[in-house]
Every structure is written in structure tokens, then in C-alpha cells.
Amino acid sequence: MDSHILVTGGAGYIGSHVVRQLHECGRRTVALDTLETGFREAVLHGELAVGDIADRDLVRNVLRRFRVKSVVHLAAHTSVAESVADPLRYYRNNTGASRALIECCVAEGVERFIFSSSAAVYGAPDVDRVTERTPADPVNPYGASKSMTERMLRDVSAATGMRHTILRYFNVAGADPRGRIGQSTKNATLLVKVACETALGRRGHMPIHGTDYPTADGTCVRDYIHVEDLADAHILALRSLEEGADSDTFNCGYGRGYSVREVIAAVERAAGVAIDAREAPRRPGDPPRLVADASRIREALGWMPRFDDLDQIVRTSLVWERKLVERP
């Protein structure tokens, strides 16, 4: 059997796009997912193994069976608010389970490891844009769980032959432009998805969590990146490691920020309806502003985003949400 690329969380929102793009590049994949928040039907290509990355016997069996030399690790819990309410769940799943996965990879001779990290590792920096040199200082357990895994990877790479790439995601949104896959998780907290669901009547209203932040309109500002461009960053990172690149860390964003109110306005333009948005208290753990300086990934990997436009991001999200509404 030819070597496969293992994509943990491969039935999830971002993972399914990575799997699809790897297939389009002619690569063989095996997705490992609990299907707790992922969907079997989202794995359009390759193999699917159902299970938990914390299950060492399962993981080592998958690594051996599919002769895996490259791992793309996306499996994680991702809600900031939930991490504040239940931090141990995040340290168990995001950090502890990642440790088990990394241990299995080292034991089975995996050579390359791409890690799905987050801008949340930066905390609430007092800068216009964060670079990869901005100190990690997370303000919530979600960001801390990612930062801990980053540290494990750096230490393991220093002690073994396994090289890694850490991709720090900013706010992911959008869907496959052909409408094949998208964000399907129920009760999701991603702002663009919540706004689209509200515009389509799937939610009665949407809360704006915090209107007194030190930003232009008082609401949080984020850098929104289309899931297609983010998936492409994984392909380029894998190719670079395969060509012998050293371990590295990259921001994945567009370098411009949009406030909550600006995102709501973009959804209203695309949907042609007014959204019932209601002011609500701040959520614990939300930094006021997080925007990327992503010049390094463009220079080092040749990353050239194709969907760097908020209105385009929203349009693809809205098409996908309408498709979900039409499903029986």
C-alpha cells in the first residue's frame, strides 16, 4: 500500500477541506475522526478511520497500516467560551490527546507533522498586527492548550528527526465555492456562520458579545480567512517539509481586521435582509483585536490567497447555509 497522509479531524470543517485539496493534488489520505462534531459525508475522498487520537493502539495501527510519514493534526475542541467554562476538557483533549498522538508518531517513524494552532496563543496583544515573533501569552484555556502543544512539538523536533510546521489560524470562515462541503456543526459559535444562520431564520437573533471594546465601533475585531486559502496553506506546508524545510511557524490570515458589526453588515448585504442583532455582555476570554501579519508564509511558502475578500467569504458561507436549510 502506498503511503497515506493522516489528517486528524479530517471529517470536520477545516479537515474535510484539507482532505479534499490533498486528493486534488493526487495525494492519498486517511482521515481520523471521532465524528463527535465531524461528518462522515464530509470526507469526500480517501479512507476514514473512526476513533480518538488519544487511543494509542488505534493511532499506531492506522500509522502502520497506511504507512504514514506525514500527519496533519486538526482534531481539537475550539470554543473559547467553552474552554473558559470547562478548561480541563480542553487540556485533556487539545493538549493531552495531542501528546498521545505525537508520542505515537515518534514511535512509528513519522517524519513530518503539521499542527493546527491558533491566533489565540497570542492572547490580547497591544499591537496592530501580530507577527510570529509576538510573544505567546494566551488569555483563555483554548489558546493555552494550543500553545502547550506548540511547545511539545518544538521540544520533540529538537530531540528527534520529526520536523513540523505550526500554522496559527486566525478566524476561519467560508465554504467550498462549489458547495460540496462547509461548516455543518450544530450550535456553532463561528461569527460568520451564526450571522448567516440568523439571516436565514435558523436563529431568532444573534448576540453581539461586547460593545465596549477599545475598537472603532466597540466590537471585537478579527482577521477572517477563507477555509479554501487555509487548506491551501496546509498543502504548501506539507510540500515544503517534503522538500526538506526546517521546522517553522506561520500566521494564517489576510492582515486586515473586521469588527463584529462589519461582518453582520456584510451578511446583510449578501442575504438582502436585516439581521436582528442584540447587544450582549462580553464573553470571558475574548481579546479586543487579533489581526495577522502573514507576510512570512507568503514569502517562505509562496502562499497566494485567492479568496481575500470579506464579501466573497460571506457569499460562500451563505450558499452553504442555504444548502443545509434545504436538506431533509
Side-chain angles (χ1 to χ4, degrees):
M1 178 184 291
D2 292 338
S3 177
H4 286 54
I5 298 162
L6 174 62
V7 182
T8 72
Y13 172 39
I14 301 169
S16 61
H17 285 79
V18 172
V19 167
R20 199 207 76 236
Q21 284 201 18
L22 284 168
H23 170 79
E24 291 168 355
C25 293
R27 310 303 295 269
R28 295 177 180 270
T29 59
V30 52
L32 176 59
D33 201 295
T34 63
L35 300 183
E36 178 184 346
T37 56
F39 299 85
R40 188 182 298 271
E41 61 270 22
V43 184
L44 302 181
H45 309 285
E47 305 287 339
L48 172 64
V50 178
D52 197 312
I53 61 169
D55 184 340
R56 287 174 170 81
D57 290 339
L58 170 65
V59 171
R60 293 190 68 166
N61 179 266
V62 168
L63 294 174
R64 291 172 186 166
R65 179 184 172 196
F66 293 97
R67 299 173 56 195
V68 173
K69 294 301 179 184
S70 299
V71 170
V72 182
H73 176 32
L74 299 103
H77 295 324
T78 60
S79 168
V80 168
E82 183 185 55
S83 79
V84 173
D86 191 358
L88 290 179
R89 183 170 191 251
Y90 276 66
Y91 294 129
R92 179 177 64 251
N93 185 71
N94 291 5
T95 308
S98 292
R99 180 199 177 281
L101 172 66
I102 294 167
E103 185 176 51
C104 292
C105 289
V106 171
E108 296 299 331
V110 169
E111 299 171 1
R112 297 166 289 273
F113 195 104
I114 296 173
F115 176 52
S116 157
S117 190
S118 168
V121 303
Y122 294 117
D126 187 20
V127 294
D128 186 51
R129 297 178 185 175
V130 295
T131 73
E132 292 83 356
R133 294 181 299 279
T134 301
D137 187 19
V139 294
N140 54 64
Y142 169 62
S145 73
K146 290 290 189 177
S147 183
M148 290 176 185
T149 303
E150 286 191 8
R151 178 60 186 264
M152 282 193 291
L153 272 176
R154 286 191 287 268
D155 289 344
V156 167
S157 289
T160 71
M162 188 176 76
R163 289 170 294 118
H164 69 266
T165 300
I166 294 167
L167 298 178
R168 290 174 175 165
Y169 306 173
F170 283 67
N171 282 46
V172 190
D176 169 28
R178 291 175 55 185
R180 292 166 290 181
I181 49 179
Q183 166 58 283
S184 301
T185 306
K186 292 181 179 179
N187 302 316
T189 58
L190 298 178
L191 177 64
V192 173
K193 182 176 179 67
V194 171
C196 287
E197 288 180 338
T198 307
L200 296 178
R202 303 193 78 182
R203 299 188 188 219
H205 71 279
M206 73 167 295
I208 299 178
H209 293 287
T211 58
D212 59 346
Y213 286 99
T215 60
D217 65 17
T219 65
C220 289
V221 171
R222 297 290 185 269
D223 190 337
Y224 292 88
I225 176 174
H226 197 289
V227 67
E228 282 288 293
D229 285 332
L230 181 58
D232 183 54
H234 292 74
I235 308 302
L236 293 172
L238 176 61
R239 188 175 299 155
S240 179
L241 287 175
E242 289 175 336
E243 292 172 353
D246 292 333
S247 298
D248 213 333
T249 300
F250 299 106
N251 285 339
C252 294
Y254 292 148
R256 63 172 60 88
Y258 295 96
S259 72
V260 173
R261 294 192 191 278
E262 287 174 321
V263 171
I264 292 172
V267 174
E268 289 178 328
R269 287 194 299 272
V273 300
I275 290 174
D276 183 5
R278 304 179 187 178
E279 296 185 0
R282 292 186 182 191
R283 289 182 303 193
D286 272 347
R289 176 184 175 88
L290 271 178
V291 178
D293 178 333
S295 55
R296 285 201 66 248
I297 192 171
R298 294 174 185 256
E299 296 166 2
L301 301 185
W303 183 60
M304 298 178 64
R306 295 176 294 139
F307 301 93
D308 181 3
D309 177 81
L310 180 62
D311 288 322
Q312 187 175 26
I313 290 171
V314 165
R315 283 195 297 272
T316 61
S317 299
L318 199 58
V319 167
W320 176 251
E321 292 303 325
R322 283 177 172 143
K323 187 172 183 178
L324 291 181
V325 169
E326 294 166 1
R327 282 184 177 177

